[in-house]
Each structure stands twice: as structure tokens, then as C-alpha cells.
Amino acid sequence: MTIAAGYNFGYLDEATKRMIRRAILKAVAIPGHQVPFGSREMPLPYGWGTGGIQVTASILGPRDVLKVIDQGADDTTNAVSIRRFFAKVAGVATTERTTDATLIQTRHRIPETPLREGQILVYQVPMPEPLFRLEPRVTETQRMHALADYGLMHVKLYEDIARYGHVAISYNYPVMVNRRYLMAPSPIPAFDNPKMDRMPALQLFGAGREKRIYAVPPHTEVRSLDFEDHPFVPIRADAACSLCGSRDTYLDEIVTDDRGGRRFICSDTDWCASRREEGR
Amino acid sequence: MSAAAAPLLEAEGLTLRFGAIPALEEVALAIWPGEVVAIVGESGSGKTTLLRVLSGLMRPERGTVRYHGADGAVRDVHGMAESRRRLLHRTEWGFVHQNPRDGLRMGVSAGGNVGERLMAVGARHYGSIRAEAAAWLRRVEIDPARMDEAPTRFSGGMQQRLQIARTLVTRPRLVFMDEPTGGLDVSVQARLLDMLRGLVADLDLAVLIVTHDIAAARLLAHRMLVMRHGRVVEQGLTDRVLDDPQHPYTQLLVSSVLAA
């Protein structure tokens, strides 16, 4: 494919890419630490993945194969438009297959297919600061990170257990990276948290509006916060996918009529389709 | 009072000015383990500033504050790393604010407030944190059945007692108190003072208490410092200072107390 006329490879200019790559290198060197960067205006609104798209644009090479997912699906608006954007401004090959991709940009999911070494997963992050609902002052949260002073996050978990009997965080469940930094894993379901632990692929996180980049290098320990007597439990709907019959994947609930009818299907469309192909 | 050779906290030559106003001038002070020291004086005499400087929350222009840690080491409070000072503040030290809203998290339940210091120093067992919090609530005369309520639903006296429970849960050696009875009516004050006296004796606490309430100081403190315009004008055993004041200002202060 060719690049649309008038655009630099990957949309961003080379100086911007260098700046973002520097931020990424620092982020990889300090796993879980939020590195500020000069986020640019992108041709899509904040909240649609401006952070992820800038990280992708900076590390994309001509031989990369790109996959973009939104809530696990390859065929939703956000995924389709970002995939077409990079096909246009970088001319890279795109795919819907997790195993074929070298670079995967994701919103709110980690693919069900285990990622391998050499692949890169780029997350779109709306709010990089895991403590922002607990401590409104940015200067104070930065100090808490610097001193690894994370008792406050456990107070939140304590309050949840006292009130609901369990930790009532179903997505964006806070994690400790490399036993040092508290990190927001972006709004992925808590079900996906265990996949981050010692993942062979590189994980990069970009927050465009908040102007932060952070990373989890391959094979890094990522632990979900919990109490000894209330261990972390990943939650999924207790049902089987009505398309492929899977009982161990994360499911979307679809309301089918106005009389309480509903069905569950895999949120990862590529995984579900591959399983059905294998089955037939 | 335990007779230890070394003071717990020792300050020398503390000086701090806010523009032209001297807040502290050449203040020296020492507090020994298990001792309650009151700092009295009128508003604006530098009492609260002294407390903030001693606890490392504020830097003096001149002078040093040394703390003898539980590990035996002597450290300069203003020279140590911030991480160590923070650790001190939630393990060996406690700070009770005048307004319980400054010392409590108002959106967090009473149990969570007490448990926060435990979790901050690494407690990760929900059941034992909760049991410890309940025990402390009982100790400060709050019904443990109310431990899941937010402090906003507590009375002023209860909030203050909750703040004290939250401060003492990690068994500090030294507690700074800034007008702990301020803003409470007299009967609630009396109960709080009574409770504090019991806790101080039980836990062998050293307490540095700032107050303008001479009666509270007489009830709680072993020793007393009288401050005026940033200077310590008189100090000595509480009874001696109050019954036989030497400095004209102390005489004025003592004679101004209303008898009921």
C-alpha cells in the first residue's frame, strides 16, 4: 500500500516521534512509572484513543502488521477508523488476527490469544493516575508515587469489602508493577489483569489528554492489589459464548428483546471466529 | 514516668520569622519518654508554629530538632529524607489536629480511618485490620457497631475521639496535639481529657500538647512552657508554673482564668 500524499510516515513528524520514543524508553526503563510527554493534537477527539494512536505512530515501522481492537472487537467504529487511518498515513499491512499482528492497539481489552515475544500491545488510557479519585492533588499523588506510599489505595479496597463484602472494582483494577509502582491498567476488565503478569509482549500505555506514557516491559511481574484473606478474583459472566461455546473467555452481554431475553458472546471477535473455524 | 537518660525529642535555637513577625525566637525544648509537656500562650504566640516545626511539617530558619528513634539512632528531623519523615509520622509519631476534619478522611468509614495507618505500614489482612480497628473504637468509647459509618455522621466529640484512635493505632511513642479540646463544649472536653489521661498512662506516651486552655494543661501535663511573641518566657513543672508564676505574662495568664 502507498502512503497518502502530503503526510509523513505515520502522520506525526519525525521530531515528535523522537520525543515520544524518548518518553517510551524512559517508561520501559521504569516499569509502571508515568512519564509526561508533549501530546499533540490528533485528527480525532480526546477520549477516542489520542494517546494510544500517538504511541502507535511513533513505534510503527513499514514492515509492521497492525491490529486494532475496541472492547475486544475488530469491527467497531473506533477500531475500524484507527486501522484505516494507519493504512492510509503509514501504508502498513493490517490484520484482524492476533497471531499475525506485530503491533496491537487496544481499547479496554487484552486479546484472549496469549501474546508472544516480539509483539507490542498499545493501550488507550483515559486516566493514567490510579489514585485520582482518592487524592485530588496531582503534586500529592506524585509524592505518593515517589515514596511508594500506597496505603490509601488499600483504604479504598477496605471500604469496598466493608460495604459490599468484596472489592467492587470490575474494570481498571489497580495493579502493582514490579513491586514498586501502583498503575492503572486502563479500563480493561479485572478479568484481563492476570494476563498482564509476566506477559512476553511489551505493553505500552498512552494517555493523550493527560499527556502521560507508561509501560510494562516483557516478563514483568504485575500484581492486582488485594488482601491476604480477600484474594483478587477475576470476574466473568457465568455463561458460555452462544457462538463458539467458550467457557473461559470474557463475554459481552447482548439484550435480544424487551422481555428479559439475553445472550452472551465472546468480546474478542478474532478468538471467537477462529474457534468456530476450527470447530467446523 | 520512665526515667530514661536521653530525651525523645530535643530542639535548640529554633528561629522562624514570617516577614517582620517573629514566630519563633531561639526556642529550646526537650521531651522525655512518657512525659506530657504543654505549650501554652495566647493566640499568635507561636505555639502551633512550634508544633509544626518540631514535627518536621515546617522548616525553621535556624536551629535543629533531633529525634531519638526506637532503633537507638539520633536523627535530625529536618535533615532526614522525606520518606523517613513520613514513615515516622505514621509509625513512631502521631499528630492530632484541632479540627478533626483535618486529621480524618471524611468520606471514609470510621473503621477505614483507623485502619489507614495500619495499611500504610503494610498490614494486608482485612480481618485483623478490622479487628484492630474495632478494638480501638471501643477503647475511645465509640460503639464498634458504628465502624462502617462515615465520620460526617458523628458528633464533634466522637470525631475527635476517632482521630485519636486513628493516631494511636500504630502505637506511636510521641504524639503532637494541637488544641485537641478546642471547639468542644465543656462536658465533652472533660470526657475527652479523662480518656486522654488514661491512654497516655496506659501506652506510656510522650505528648506535646498545644493549648490555650490552662485547666486542660493542668489536668494533663507534667511540665509546661509558656510562650509569648515567639519566645519561651517561662517553663517548669505544671503546678509550679501555675501556682507560683514568675514572669509577668504568666502571672497575667494565670490570673485571667475564670473560676466557675
Side-chain angles (χ1 to χ4, degrees):
Chain A
M1 256 202 258
T2 51
I3 306 170
Y7 287 105
N8 187 35
F9 178 83
Y11 185 78
L12 292 174
D13 61 90
E14 293 302 317
T16 300
K17 285 191 204 169
R18 188 170 72 159
M19 175 268 294
I20 295 176
R21 284 172 194 151
R22 282 180 165 177
I24 293 172
L25 284 175
K26 183 171 177 184
V28 171
I30 316 171
H33 173 62
Q34 300 167 44
V35 181
F37 78 109
S39 179
R40 298 291 189 252
E41 287 279 327
M42 296 303 284
L44 79 167
Y46 285 138
W48 288 45
T50 50
I53 213 170
Q54 288 179 80
V55 170
T56 301
S58 308
I59 57 174
L60 198 62
R63 283 192 300 278
D64 267 318
V65 181
L66 180 70
K67 169 183 164 84
V68 184
I69 51 174
D70 169 11
Q71 304 274 15
D74 292 274
D75 53 4
T76 48
T77 313
N78 195 246
V80 170
S81 54
I82 293 176
R83 193 165 57 234
R84 287 208 338 230
F85 173 78
F86 279 116
K88 197 171 183 178
V89 299
V92 293
T94 60
T95 180
E96 296 193 357
R97 289 285 163 128
T98 304
T99 45
D100 295 345
T102 56
L103 187 57
I104 303 171
Q105 181 172 334
T106 176
R107 171 175 176 265
H108 304 187
R109 268 319 301 279
I110 295 174
E112 303 286 358
T113 313
L115 300 183
R116 56 169 200 275
E117 239 166 79
Q119 288 182 312
I120 301 177
L121 187 59
V122 177
Y123 297 76
Q124 302 172 194
V125 181
M127 176 35 91
E129 180 50 68
L131 297 162
F132 90 107
R133 281 196 195 285
L134 306 168
E135 175 52 65
R137 290 165 296 179
V138 175
T139 48
E140 185 58 22
T141 59
Q142 282 175 346
R143 186 168 289 128
M144 289 161 88
H145 283 297
L147 302 173
D149 184 4
Y150 297 134
L152 190 55
M153 195 76 234
H154 268 95
V155 173
K156 152 80 179 143
L157 302 192
Y158 169 93
E159 288 288 289
D160 272 5
I161 299 174
R163 199 168 300 163
Y164 309 109
H166 58 92
V167 176
I169 308 173
S170 54
Y171 65 94
N172 211 353
Y173 193 106
V175 293
M176 281 299 284
V177 179
N178 204 22
R179 302 180 186 200
R180 174 60 183 83
Y181 280 99
L182 183 71
M183 188 186 91
S186 87
I188 58 170
F191 176 83
D192 280 345
N193 272 19
K195 293 181 191 156
M196 304 181 81
D197 186 31
R198 299 177 199 283
M199 185 192 275
L202 170 64
Q203 304 173 72
L204 301 176
F205 299 77
R209 186 194 43 179
E210 301 294 326
K211 303 177 173 52
R212 292 288 185 277
I213 285 172
Y214 51 102
V216 177
H219 306 290
T220 303
E221 181 186 309
V222 177
R223 273 203 56 184
S224 305
L225 290 192
D226 59 2
F227 286 103
E228 287 156 17
D229 48 346
H230 285 261
F232 171 78
V233 186
I235 314 159
R236 71 182 284 276
D238 187 20
C241 172
S242 58
L243 297 176
C244 72
S246 166
R247 286 202 154 271
D248 52 7
T249 53
Y250 192 74
L251 302 176
D252 284 341
E253 182 180 7
I254 298 171
V255 176
T256 49
D257 54 41
D258 58 0
R259 290 184 296 280
R262 64 197 54 207
R263 53 195 288 210
F264 291 90
I265 59 164
C266 287
S267 118
D268 187 337
T269 51
D270 167 56
W271 168 270
C272 196
S274 318
R275 265 183 58 107
R276 274 177 286 152
E277 272 170 31
E278 282 166 24
R280 274 166 205 159
Chain B
M1 223 201 286
S2 59
L8 206 52
L9 193 79
E10 213 177 352
E12 272 169 20
L14 294 179
T15 301
L16 180 63
R17 299 177 154 271
F18 296 129
I21 307 158
L24 297 176
E25 274 196 87
E26 296 294 328
V27 175
L29 173 154
I31 179 167
W32 275 265
E35 187 184 34
V36 180
V37 176
I39 304 168
V40 297
E42 62 193 357
S43 298
S45 59
K47 307 186 298 280
T48 300
T49 306
L50 177 59
L51 203 63
R52 292 179 62 81
V53 167
L54 289 174
S55 59
L57 297 176
M58 212 182 238
R59 249 179 196 288
E61 278 160 27
R62 272 204 316 280
T64 54
V65 182
R66 280 188 304 278
Y67 172 68
H68 295 238
D71 55 358
V74 181
R75 292 190 182 85
D76 179 1
V77 168
H78 296 278
M80 66 174 76
E82 195 188 344
S83 56
R84 178 166 285 280
R85 197 154 56 230
R86 270 209 175 194
L87 187 69
L88 268 185
H89 261 284
R90 45 185 205 216
T91 53
E92 295 180 26
W93 291 1
F95 202 109
V96 176
H97 297 263
Q98 175 175 8
N99 187 345
R101 283 167 185 273
D102 296 336
L104 293 173
R105 291 192 186 277
M106 298 311 279
V108 169
S109 70
N113 264 299
V114 179
E116 179 175 355
R117 269 170 79 106
L118 293 172
M119 291 183 253
V121 295
R124 292 291 179 263
H125 191 283
Y126 175 81
S128 48
I129 292 168
R130 205 166 160 78
E132 183 86 6
W136 271 98
L137 290 179
R138 212 170 289 124
R139 212 159 168 176
V140 297
E141 298 162 22
I142 295 174
D143 183 0
R146 298 187 68 180
M147 77 183 293
D148 291 332
E149 283 181 34
T152 40
R153 294 176 54 178
F154 289 1
S155 69
M158 278 175 87
Q159 288 182 0
Q160 196 55 282
R161 277 180 276 142
L162 179 60
Q163 192 192 181
I164 288 165
R166 165 187 161 94
T167 308
L168 298 184
V169 67
T170 48
R171 309 270 171 156
R173 304 166 72 212
L174 174 60
V175 180
F176 302 92
M177 293 189 185
D178 189 2
E179 308 262 12
T181 57
L184 300 175
D185 66 58
V186 283
S187 60
V188 176
Q189 250 184 45
R191 247 178 93 196
L192 188 75
L193 287 173
D194 213 34
M195 193 197 80
L196 272 178
R197 217 149 67 136
L199 287 172
V200 166
D202 282 357
L203 301 170
D204 198 24
L205 287 176
V207 180
L208 208 53
I209 183 167
V210 155
T211 182
H212 56 240
D213 184 348
I214 305 282
R218 192 196 275 274
L219 205 60
L220 278 175
H222 302 121
R223 276 198 305 131
M224 181 180 269
L225 280 82
V226 183
M227 284 191 76
R228 191 183 193 206
H229 299 330
R231 285 182 180 278
V232 177
V233 294
E234 185 164 359
Q235 57 176 311
L237 297 175
T238 307
D239 289 343
R240 206 281 294 152
V241 173
L242 294 181
D243 295 339
D244 180 20
Q246 304 287 313
H247 191 273
Y249 174 68
T250 317
Q251 290 167 358
L252 177 74
L253 204 66
V254 172
S255 62
S256 309
V257 177
L258 296 176

